[in-house]
Each structure stands twice: as structure tokens, then as C-alpha cells.
Amino acid sequence: MSSSISRRNFFYRGVGLSAGTLMLRHFKVFGRPVGQGLPMIVTSHTNLTGQKALEAGWDVLQQGGSAVDAIEKAANIIEVDPEDTSVGYGGLPNEAGVVQLDASIMDGKTYNAGAVGCLENIKTPVSVARIVMERTDHIFLVGQGALQFAREWGFREENLLTEKARKIWLRWKENLNPDDDWGPPDHLRNRKNDQAYWEEFPEMENHHGTVNVLALDPQGNVAGLTTTSGLSFKIPGRVGDSPIIGAGLYVDNEVGAAGATGRGEDVIKSLASYYIVARMADGRTPQEACEDALNMIIRKYKKVNPDFYPSEKFVAINKSGEVGCATMRGRHNPKMSLMTPRGFSKYEGTIIHRT
Ligand code: GLY
């Protein structure tokens, strides 16, 4: 089942779900007690791969698996998709043409977290982050150390730069500076073809795609992850918000989880995911908490820079199985994908400021 749910419709649907949750507390789902919440898995991705990812994660939950197992399985499907230029294999590279990945994972049950930054050559960085979380007493490994750690754990090294991503990167280089020597000489340049080329790669409009996956398992435990190739054409060594716990991701087993996509620098400065979870702890719904975070960022940053051009999108879930999603700009309301006992659906959130 696939459907689009407006925020208002979801509210009413949410009432139904909450009633369902209360009922389910007295029953067993998938042979196990439901615990405090609905089994649920969500992602910020809204394409077909996002749906397939949720179906895979749902299989794990359906078999009584943990939220951590479910989100990792789901995210790996998105990470290895060569067509996705925002995450894992096929992600857009840094300015030197090298794909450097960031990822984090957090387990609400243990409050443990793991993360990797600037990781090269490994298709599934979030699986490396999970091993950092579960098999070390550290939280965050970066660069060569993270790669060495991944090698030791048996991850296969591969070139992550696909032909598609390489072509996009080369075109970016050619258009960087009209006075440099990149790009064909004037007599070979065809502006019309240039235009067609750009239209072929709509990804160029979006330089900071990322994926969040959040889940609530049948035992009522919450987990979340964020994985990305980061800001495309970034300065080598740049780490975004995605692997920073509290910024690109936060999970609290008593409250819920939140994740961020968009320009990481703003999210790091505002510790936005932590802020969203803290707002939910104060009684705000996931939708209100996502909007609170955006309003907080806009209020502060517009003060110092009236031209502040925000791009963040936040997603959140709480322990009751409510969800939220909000962004700061765009032509269409932001969406997120959900898989619950009622099937697959998309939830439509809000835009705070149309710019
Ligand atoms: N949010 C992804 C990044 O800025 O790297």
C-alpha cells in the first residue's frame, strides 16, 4: 500500500494509531509484546530505494529483530545504490574527486553511539559506525584510522566514484572559474549542450543529500542512523553534521529520535537533532519539535546574516509512533517515508519559511 498523507490527515490517522497502540499493548504482535510503542521504521528518503530499504528493515522488525538491526539493513540498501549521489557508493566526491563518507548510528537501548568521518573506499559506512559502537569504547573514528579499522573488520575496499558521479564532478570543475583552463576552448563550447548536460543531472541542485533512518522496535526500543557522502565538492577532510551525535542524529530511548539532512555546518552549530529530542521530552510532538528547531536556527542566524539561506530538513519520531518532518525552503512540502503495521506510506511535513 502506498499513499501520501497530509499533515492534517496524518493527525487524524495518528489518533487512530494511538488508539491502536493502546489496544496493541494488550496483544502480541509478531509473537512478541509490543512494549511501549508501535513497531515502525521511517526514512528521510522518499524515492523507490527508500521504500525498498524500509521493506527490508520492516522484515527485520517483523521477525522480532531490534531497531538497530532494522535501520542498518535498511540503510545499507540505500548506501549501495549507485544511482544515489548523496550517500555511500555513487555519492558525489569532494573537490579532489574523492568520495569521503560520514555516518553515525545510535542505539537508544544502550545510549551507545558509533560514527565514522571522511571514510574512503567502503560502501557501507554505517556498518563500520555500528562496529565502532558495539566493539570499541570509542564513538568517532575518522579518515585513515577509520579505514584501517574497517579493513581489520573485513570490509572490502572499493572505488566509490561511479562514472555518473565522476562526470558530475568534472562538470563542476569545468564551471568553477571561467578564467581557468578547465573546459573546452571557446570554439568547441556549445552553450545549448551545456544546458542539456545540467538538466541530465538534477543532483547538481542538491549539494548535501543525506539519509536518516529511525525505528521503534516491537520491544519499544528506539534507534537511529544518519549516513551521507556529505556536501559535494567539499574541501578534503571536511566532516559534516551526519556523524556528530547531537547534530545529525540523536536518540533517547525514553523520548524518540531525530535526524537531519541539509547543510551540516548549520546543524552542527545548533546541535539540532539533540534540540528536537529535548523539545519532544518537554512534550512537543515530533512535528512541533522539528519546527521548533528550524525556528530556533532561523531566529539566531538571520540576526547575524540577513541573507542566511537555510536548507535543513529534519525528521523525528517519538515513542508513541508519531512522526514529524519540516524544512526551511523548497517548492514542495518535505516528505518522509514510513513503514508501520498499516503498510508503506509517505508523510508530508511543513516548510517553515518559503524563500
Ligand atoms: N548533512 C550532510 C552534510 O552536510 O554533510
Side-chain angles (χ1 to χ4, degrees):
M1 177 182 70
S2 171
S3 62
S4 233
I5 317 169
S6 72
R7 188 183 163 198
R8 180 173 290 269
N9 287 342
F10 190 84
F11 174 75
Y12 291 115
R13 189 181 157 118
V15 171
L17 290 179
S18 299
T21 311
L22 288 175
M23 280 170 57
L24 288 170
R25 283 180 193 197
H26 302 286
F27 293 92
K28 291 188 174 195
V29 171
F30 314 133
R32 288 164 182 267
V34 165
Q36 297 173 60
L38 273 172
M40 152 183 282
I41 181 163
V42 309
T43 177
S44 54
H45 256 38
T46 52
N47 60 8
L48 190 60
T49 311
Q51 180 172 350
K52 285 188 181 149
L54 290 192
E55 284 164 0
W58 183 252
D59 281 348
V60 173
L61 294 174
Q62 213 167 9
Q63 286 160 30
S66 70
V68 175
D69 285 341
I71 58 173
E72 183 191 11
K73 183 145 191 209
N76 286 164
I77 287 174
I78 300 170
E79 288 178 322
V80 302
D81 175 6
E83 289 304 311
D84 194 322
T85 54
S86 68
V87 177
Y89 177 58
L92 292 179
N94 63 19
E95 67 174 27
V98 178
V99 181
Q100 292 191 321
L101 306 175
D102 296 340
S104 63
I105 187 164
M106 190 163 178
D107 180 358
K109 191 175 171 188
T110 60
Y111 287 93
N112 273 338
V116 289
C118 286
L119 178 63
E120 296 175 14
N121 300 350
I122 306 293
K123 275 183 167 174
T124 53
V126 85
S127 294
V128 183
R130 181 173 180 181
I131 297 177
V132 174
M133 172 172 78
E134 292 182 344
R135 305 298 304 174
T136 79
D137 194 28
H138 300 326
I139 286 183
F140 196 1
L141 300 182
V142 299
Q144 283 304 308
L147 178 57
Q148 181 58 27
F149 178 80
R151 278 190 199 118
E152 286 164 3
W153 277 90
F155 285 84
R156 196 153 55 96
E157 280 189 74
E158 290 165 74
N159 179 9
L160 303 183
L161 188 67
T162 57
E163 277 303 287
K164 177 179 169 182
R166 191 175 61 78
K167 280 186 182 162
I168 297 174
W169 168 68
L170 279 173
R171 188 46 62 107
W172 170 79
K173 247 171 120 65
E174 289 186 347
N175 281 271
L176 210 51
N177 177 352
D179 297 327
D180 70 16
D181 296 327
W182 283 89
D186 270 352
H187 72 285
L188 293 179
R189 195 169 273 251
N190 178 335
R191 303 266 165 214
K192 222 169 144 197
N193 284 351
D194 262 13
Q195 191 57 31
Y197 193 101
W198 286 118
E199 279 164 11
E200 202 185 319
F201 295 118
E203 295 87 349
M204 286 301 301
E205 276 197 26
N206 183 3
H207 286 227
H208 29 58
T210 294
V211 63
N212 317 118
V213 186
L214 313 173
L216 188 55
D217 68 25
Q219 291 73 35
N221 293 310
V222 191
L225 66 80
T226 299
T227 179
T228 188
S229 50
L231 186 68
S232 45
F233 321 128
K234 58 197 172 185
I235 297 172
R238 178 262 192 190
V239 174
D241 59 313
S242 304
I244 298 179
I245 300 302
L249 173 72
Y250 197 71
V251 177
D252 184 327
N253 223 35
E254 292 171 1
V255 181
T261 60
R263 188 168 174 274
E265 281 70 11
D266 298 332
V267 180
I268 294 171
K269 289 189 291 183
S270 58
L271 283 181
S273 294
Y274 177 78
Y275 184 82
I276 293 166
V277 173
R279 296 295 290 166
M280 292 195 291
D282 283 344
R284 302 286 279 167
T285 65
Q287 183 60 45
E288 290 166 342
C290 289
E291 293 174 10
D292 289 347
L294 292 176
N295 280 321
M296 177 266 285
I297 291 173
I298 291 166
R299 197 175 61 244
K300 286 182 198 277
Y301 300 174
K302 281 256 186 208
K303 253 191 220 161
V304 289
N305 175 12
D307 295 329
F308 173 59
Y309 190 63
S311 65
E312 286 75 65
K313 169 180 158 185
F314 299 133
V315 297
I317 62 173
N318 68 13
K319 292 278 283 185
S320 314
E322 290 178 300
V323 303
C325 170
T327 191
M328 293 185 191
R329 69 178 168 91
R331 284 188 292 274
H332 308 289
N333 281 12
K335 288 187 178 163
M336 63 194 284
S337 305
L338 334 175
M339 186 70 92
T340 72
R342 291 168 180 237
F344 177 80
S345 61
K346 285 186 187 160
Y347 169 79
E348 191 174 294
T350 51
I351 300 179
I352 295 300
H353 275 220
R354 285 176 200 270
T355 55

